[in-house]
Amino acid sequence: MAKPTSRFVQYLTPEQEDELRQIANAIVAPGKGILAADESVGTMGKRLQNINLENSEDNRRKYRELLFTADSAVASSISGVILFDETFRQSTADGRPFVQVLKDQGIIPGIKVDKGVVPLAGSLNECTTQGLDGLAERCAEYKKGGCGFAKWRCVLKISEFTPSYQAMIENANVLARYASICQQNGLVPIVEPEVLPDGDHDLETAQRVTEQVLAFQYKALADHNIFLEGTLLKPNMVTAGQGCTKKYTAADIAKATVTALNRTVPAAVAGITFLSGGQSEEDATLNLNAINQYAGRKPWPLTFSYGRALQASVLKAWGGKDENVKAGQQELLSRASANGAAAVGKYGGSSGSAAGGDSLFVANHAY
């Protein structure tokens, strides 16, 4: 093996870098974002329970088919869809693989590759995320099967004593290891260090902790020689805790969020795709719109990677009934269009969705 000529080791070829950059840029094209349809079997069961539907593989498949075969106009606002392993392997009722259905619409399939959160020993009820074992082989399979990007979620909690140094450095390094393995296998990694909205902390505390977490994250990505132009960040918006009694406007949230990102996220990052974090569908759209309207410096595209905030109205309208499939698909088109407009700061107001104002908060959300 040749002796390195510097301390930096280049592990991607220029061709590999170009492919990653192109995929990442396509995902955050103006007015487009991601539909996160990567709920695990257990989490999907909770969604189906809300509409009194059995959590069977076929019911999960039917629901995903509803999402992926909606009006082709959805593709004007949805650039990528995150799949769960089960969904990656499923097909429509007439035998078309879901991955191909998405690709035929010009939508990039992605895949959730983590194995879920687990307790972080020696911490105060904090956690880390498992799944690095065998990740390279899984990524190679998903790439060969048509995926262009991946997602891995870590969660951190705000309390009097958390997040701890231990939790921040552990989760940052886990995400950096994941990102490196993804890039080596041709997948754009979505890096998701989520600061949970649980708690009664104010907006200022949320901003400070988010800045800390992101600072740890980008130090770890630099330590692992990650090609930033071939990555996306999926952070929480900076919002006060669910139990905070002080109310903040969308403009307040936008200022805190953009300020935190400017202080911590390198301009080289291809784009930022916010998670909805238990906000109602309408709040998630209004806050994204305010973020894009904020006058501060924004060197990256700022868009969405929503699960609950794109699906609550869909599930409510569908209700598990075949005759309501079109109604559910219309709700998806409505929410996708609203968020596509918000991603360029041009959302005009309420879209009248079936569950637009319903709270989607789940305490200690894990899936």
Side-chain angles (χ1 to χ4, degrees):
M1 180 177 177
K3 184 178 180 181
T5 57
S6 72
R7 294 175 63 192
F8 176 73
V9 179
Q10 183 75 23
Y11 67 88
L12 298 175
T13 66
E15 292 75 20
Q16 288 173 312
E17 290 184 348
D18 283 344
E19 182 188 20
L20 292 168
R21 184 190 291 110
Q22 288 170 17
I23 295 169
N25 289 342
I27 292 171
V28 293
K32 292 191 176 187
I34 297 170
L35 166 62
D38 58 324
E39 297 89 353
S40 66
V41 171
T43 300
M44 198 64 240
K46 295 174 184 176
R47 304 276 193 274
L48 297 177
Q49 185 178 27
N50 289 335
I51 56 172
N52 300 312
L53 203 62
E54 180 190 358
N55 185 21
S56 66
E57 180 179 353
D58 192 53
N59 282 336
R60 294 191 297 272
R61 188 203 61 76
K62 283 182 178 178
Y63 176 61
R64 264 58 184 262
E65 180 170 347
L66 178 160
L67 295 175
F68 305 157
T69 60
D71 190 297
S72 59
V74 167
S76 64
S77 303
I78 300 294
S79 55
V81 173
I82 310 174
L83 305 172
F84 183 61
D85 181 80
E86 176 185 76
T87 319
F88 168 77
R89 305 178 192 285
Q90 288 176 328
S91 301
T92 61
D94 59 5
R96 292 177 296 150
F98 282 155
V99 169
Q100 194 59 49
V101 169
L102 294 171
K103 292 177 74 173
D104 287 347
Q105 298 176 72
I107 295 174
I108 302 170
I111 185 73
K112 165 186 157 77
V113 295
D114 70 69
K115 297 288 188 177
V117 298
V118 292
L120 180 60
S123 71
L124 188 63
N125 298 318
E126 294 181 284
C127 55
T128 186
T129 304
Q130 61 186 348
L132 290 175
D133 289 351
L135 179 58
E137 291 78 11
R138 299 201 308 278
C139 285
E141 179 190 2
Y142 293 137
K143 179 68 175 181
K144 184 177 180 181
C147 290
F149 67 102
K151 193 206 81 165
W152 180 294
R153 176 180 182 251
C154 286
V155 294
L156 299 109
K157 304 173 184 178
I158 296 178
S159 73
E160 184 179 359
F161 302 108
T162 64
S164 64
Y165 175 88
Q166 176 195 7
M168 289 190 287
I169 199 165
E170 160 65 15
N171 283 292
N173 278 311
V174 163
L175 279 163
R177 288 277 309 283
Y178 140 80
S180 177
I181 294 167
C182 282
Q183 290 194 333
Q184 291 172 62
N185 286 280
L187 296 175
V188 169
I190 294 183
V191 176
E192 182 178 355
E194 178 182 2
V195 179
L196 292 172
D198 306 59
D200 59 3
H201 51 274
D202 59 18
L203 188 67
E204 292 73 22
T205 300
Q207 181 182 331
R208 175 178 56 79
V209 172
T210 298
E211 290 176 8
Q212 280 185 304
V213 167
L214 291 176
F216 272 83
Q217 188 59 68
Y218 280 96
K219 172 63 164 63
L221 293 172
D223 288 344
H224 287 76
N225 299 319
I226 301 303
F227 175 59
L228 293 182
E229 291 88 342
T231 67
L232 298 170
L233 175 67
K234 182 171 179 175
N236 52 284
M237 294 180 188
V238 177
T239 59
Q242 286 286 331
C244 181
T245 56
K246 184 177 180 180
K247 301 303 177 185
Y248 297 92
T249 66
D252 294 331
I253 291 167
K255 180 180 180 181
T257 300
V258 175
T259 300
L261 295 173
N262 267 309
R263 290 174 175 174
T264 53
V265 182
V269 172
I272 294 172
T273 64
F274 292 104
L275 55 92
S276 55
Q279 301 176 75
S280 72
E281 288 182 333
E282 189 64 14
D283 283 348
T285 307
L286 289 170
N287 288 334
L288 178 62
N289 192 63
I291 285 169
N292 278 290
Q293 288 184 342
Y294 180 66
R297 194 173 70 91
K298 302 183 289 286
W300 346 254
L302 297 162
T303 187
F304 60 93
S305 178
Y306 291 167
R308 286 169 285 171
L310 275 172
Q311 296 183 51
S313 289
V314 177
L315 279 163
K316 193 170 184 178
W318 175 49
K321 298 176 181 177
D322 291 345
E323 62 267 29
N324 293 338
V325 166
K326 290 296 183 184
Q329 292 177 330
Q330 185 56 46
E331 290 288 354
L332 176 61
L333 177 58
S334 174
R335 290 299 345 152
S337 298
N339 285 298
V344 290
K346 294 182 179 178
Y347 179 56
S350 176
S351 59
S353 296
D358 295 354
S359 173
L360 303 176
F361 173 67
V362 177
N364 293 308
H365 180 50
Y367 55 95

